[in-house]
Amino acid sequence: LAKTTQPISMDSYEGQEVNITCSHNNIATNDYITWYQQFPSQGPRFIIQGYKTKVTNEVASLFIPADRKSSTLSLPRVSLSDTAVYYCLVEGYSTLTFGKGTMLLVSP
Amino acid sequence: EPEVTQTPSHQVTQMGQEVILRCVPISNHLYFYWYRQILGQKVEFLVSFYNNEISEKSEIFDDQFSVERPDGSNFTLKIRSTKLEDSAMYFCASSEEGDSNSPLHFGNGTRLTVT
């Protein structure tokens, strides 16, 4: 049973805000929610992490409702260079289990 | 920003040969990992390493694989007798701590091609 479920792909245009939602119905009390980004032929890159409510950094925001059964990664004003695969991971320890992620395609 | 570095970026080897993939983790990190990604597939966990010993390994990490931290900076993955199906991107990662609120920092990988 997959720990997380996220859309396989999303399309957007430059300058738009993109929200990618991830479902994690069986999240455990000590699990953190972490998002990674991966470009072709590169290693995954940490974007943001949260436990509850809202977290914001210079790259993205992460919204987590009170029940923690889902989370939404928000990318403000995307550019072409944001085209990548985005992974949502829910783990209680640092060994990560990657799913297929969401392939975000940003067009001009 | 400190980063994880991996060498070589691309390694071509013949089936049955031994290869060593090298990684320099971020200097103050204590936990080290190897992952692999076969072309078009998911990123898969191989092994984690802490305090000079393996802390966890997946079923992919069988007897042909080994890891070592030969000195204070390098972390290596050895594949003893390569097979065609070992062709993949191999990513090294490190983290400050071993719990989930300590994110992993990945290198850009070594592309291993077994012919």
Side-chain angles (χ1 to χ4, degrees), chain B residues 3 12 48 67:
Chain B
E3 57 182 29
V12 181
S48 59
V67 290

Side-chain angles (χ1 to χ4, degrees), chain B residues 93-109:
Chain B
S94 67
S95 63
E96 285 186 59
E97 301 289 342
D99 49 18
S100 64
N101 65 341
S102 183
L104 271 63
H105 295 259
F106 287 81
N108 276 330

